[in-house]
């Protein structure tokens, strides 16, 4: 079954204790991304990755790190979590398609989302 | 800067009513992609539709229809004859290609459909 998996699904931790949320997809997608969802704010992009070893910041990258050493995995690392990082986190992946014509741009298909990780930092 | 505005925070309708969810976006990019996602009470995010900036063809799929108007930067979503199972939060999203694909979501519209 094609899917994006995240672990753990729920986590309660304390301020300053390093943690990693794993994300894995089995669809051979080049593109992966992390979002946080907070009430009234929708989803905000933290980091994204266009391919292995290629990552870039989204709108809210402060306090987070990512790595993309393998195509299927895109872990989110909180080196020193703080209470304002309490949130619902979603990982997503998508297929990039080559462009038509001479623009050189590629297209992004819809994103497939993991089930979410609810993180509480005390 | 890019922005997606979903001005309707919550909408409540009675079953079988039609309902339109509004989405207004801002971007200076000429190539971009618009999406609608649904988040039912169970929490998962489900893709509904995708539109490229150069494809203004509107679409009807069963009870769902979409109206993409580039002139007004709007990408509205209509449910015809709503059902209780349509109750969810609906998100509009904009993806731009800045060398990488950056995605901006609206704050979402919570739809309640009462029996």
């Amino acid at each position: 079954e094609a899917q994006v998996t995240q672990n753990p699904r729920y986590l309660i931790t304390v301020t300053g204790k390093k943690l990693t949320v794993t994300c894995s997809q089995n669809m051979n997608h080049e593109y992966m991304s992390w979002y946080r969802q907070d009430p009234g704010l929708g989803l905000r992009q933290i980091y994204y990755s266009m391919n292995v070893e290629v990552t870039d910041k989204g709108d809210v990258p402060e306090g987070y790190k990512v790595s993309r050493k393998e195509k299927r995995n895109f872990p989110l690392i909180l080196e020193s979590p703080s209470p304002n990082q309490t949130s619902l986190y979603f990982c997503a992946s998508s297929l990039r398609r080559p462009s038509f014509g001479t623009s050189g741009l590629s297209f992004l298909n819809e994103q497939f989302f993991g089930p979410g990780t609810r993180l509480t930092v005390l | 800067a890019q922005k997606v505005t979903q001005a309707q925070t919550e909408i409540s309708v009675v079953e079988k009513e039609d309902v339109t969810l509004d989405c207004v976006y801002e971007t200076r990019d000429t190539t971009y992609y618009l999406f609608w996602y649904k988040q039912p009470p169970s929490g998962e995010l489900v893709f509904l539709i995708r539109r490229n900036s150069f494809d203004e063809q509107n679409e009807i799929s069963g009870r769902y229809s979409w109206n993409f108007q580039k002139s007004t930067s709007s990408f509205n979503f209509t449910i015809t004859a709503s059902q209780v199972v349509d109750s969810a939060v609906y998100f509009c999203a904009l993806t731009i290609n800045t060398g990488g694909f950056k995605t901006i979501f609206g704050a979402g519209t919570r739809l309640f459909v009462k029996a």
Side-chain angles (χ1 to χ4, degrees):
Chain A
E1 179 191 356
Q3 60 182 348
V4 178
T5 56
Q6 294 178 228
N7 282 292
R9 294 288 312 279
Y10 303 91
L11 179 60
I12 300 174
T13 189
V14 295
T15 299
K17 186 175 181 184
K18 181 180 178 180
L19 66 92
T20 298
V21 183
T22 64
C23 173
S24 184
Q25 51 94 6
N26 62 2
M27 295 169 279
N28 202 34
H29 286 168
E30 296 92 349
Y31 182 86
M32 297 186 74
S33 184
W34 275 103
Y35 299 88
R36 59 177 290 174
Q37 182 178 6
D38 301 291
L41 297 177
L43 282 81
R44 292 179 293 168
Q45 192 171 40
I46 302 171
Y47 271 95
Y48 62 90
S49 170
M50 297 289 281
N51 214 325
V52 175
E53 301 292 2
V54 181
T55 63
D56 208 346
K57 296 177 182 178
D59 281 336
V60 289
E62 296 79 18
Y64 304 95
K65 284 176 56 177
V66 293
S67 67
R68 188 91 182 274
K69 292 182 171 37
E70 306 166 281
K71 198 172 187 179
R72 63 181 293 129
N73 296 324
F74 190 43
L76 179 70
I77 304 156
L78 284 72
E79 295 268 3
S80 182
S82 62
N84 65 11
Q85 292 178 299
T86 292
S87 187
L88 178 59
Y89 291 86
F90 285 99
C91 179
S93 72
S94 181
L95 188 65
R96 286 174 60 189
R97 296 186 292 126
S99 67
F100 299 100
T102 58
S103 69
L105 296 174
S106 56
F107 298 122
L108 190 69
N109 278 358
E110 69 275 16
Q111 294 182 55
F112 291 84
F113 286 85
T117 294
R118 187 165 292 282
L119 172 66
T120 301
V121 183
L122 302 174
Chain B
Q2 296 77 28
K3 190 177 178 183
V4 175
T5 302
Q6 295 181 254
Q8 304 149 310
T9 306
E10 288 187 359
I11 300 176
S12 184
V13 299
V14 177
E15 214 171 13
K16 297 184 183 175
E17 282 186 28
D18 298 346
V19 57
T20 295
L21 308 182
D22 297 333
C23 174
V24 174
Y25 62 93
E26 295 176 29
T27 181
R28 291 184 179 179
D29 297 86
T30 55
T31 300
Y32 52 88
Y33 317 104
L34 295 163
F35 301 85
W36 276 97
Y37 290 91
K38 174 182 179 181
Q39 187 176 43
S42 50
E44 72 270 23
L45 283 152
V46 178
F47 164 74
L48 295 177
I49 192 169
R50 167 182 180 269
R51 272 291 172 269
N52 304 325
S53 55
F54 45 86
D55 176 11
E56 288 195 68
Q57 180 181 354
N58 291 311
E59 182 175 329
I60 297 175
S61 176
R63 297 186 297 108
Y64 298 161
S65 61
W66 291 269
N67 188 347
F68 177 30
Q69 297 278 348
K70 214 168 175 179
S71 59
T72 57
S73 297
S74 65
F75 185 42
N76 298 336
F77 169 46
T78 298
I79 302 174
T80 302
S82 59
Q83 299 176 1
V84 172
V85 293
D86 295 327
S87 296
V89 180
Y90 291 84
F91 292 101
C92 180
L94 165 71
T95 294
I96 58 172
N97 190 344
T98 58
F101 290 111
K102 194 172 176 183
T103 297
I104 303 95
F105 277 78
T109 297
R110 184 178 295 275
L111 174 65
F112 294 99
V113 181
K114 296 179 285 189

